[in-house]
Amino acid sequence: MESILQGTYLIKISGDTARFFSQILYDGGGFCPPGTQTCLVSELDFQPTIENSVIAWYKENQVFQMENAGFIRREVLEEVDSSVWLVIDPLSQEPDTEGTQLEINV
C-alpha cells in the first residue's frame, strides 16, 4: 500500500517502490507478464523484459502509478531526455537508503 501511495501523494518513485512496481509490471505479479508494448521513445512495438527495457513515466504526470507507466527499449536510452522522463532501471535498483516512509493516519 505504501508503494502505491508514494507515487500518488509524494509524487516520486524510489527504492522499494521501484522494485515493487518493476516486479508487477514485468512479471504481472505472477499472473500476466506484459504483452506487446510500444516504446515511449522510439514508438516501436516490442515485448518488454527486464533485460531489454526500463520503466518510465512522463515527469509532467500528476502521479506516478503502474497504470501510467510505460516501457523504453534499452537501445534508445541515450535518446531519453531526463528533463522529460522519470526512468526506473530494474537492473540497477538498490535498497531505499533514504528510508522514505509514508505515515497513514486513519
Side-chain angles (χ1 to χ4, degrees):
M1 177 74 115
E2 183 177 318
S3 294
I4 293 168
L5 294 175
Q6 185 183 64
T8 301
Y9 294 104
L10 298 179
I11 310 171
K12 72 179 218 170
I13 302 292
S14 63
D16 294 336
T17 301
R19 280 187 296 285
F20 175 74
F21 280 10
S22 292
Q23 182 179 20
I24 292 174
L25 289 169
Y26 282 108
D27 299 333
F31 297 102
C32 300
T36 300
Q37 299 286 320
T38 302
C39 175
L40 296 172
V41 174
S42 69
E43 298 183 356
L44 294 174
D45 290 341
F46 74 112
Q47 178 75 33
T49 65
I50 289 174
E51 293 78 22
N52 73 4
S53 63
V54 296
I55 300 169
W57 290 265
Y58 287 109
K59 282 189 173 178
E60 66 186 35
N61 286 344
Q62 298 295 315
V63 295
F64 301 126
Q65 300 172 336
M66 285 183 281
E67 71 179 353
N68 64 350
F71 297 94
I72 297 176
R73 295 179 319 118
R74 288 187 184 277
E75 290 84 24
V76 297
L77 277 178
E78 65 276 354
E79 299 173 29
V80 173
D81 182 347
S82 62
S83 68
V84 176
W85 299 101
L86 170 65
V87 174
I88 300 296
D89 185 345
L91 294 179
S92 65
Q93 292 174 15
E94 296 187 15
D96 186 357
T97 56
E98 294 178 27
T100 304
Q101 293 189 352
L102 181 64
E103 288 188 27
I104 302 171
N105 297 317
V106 182

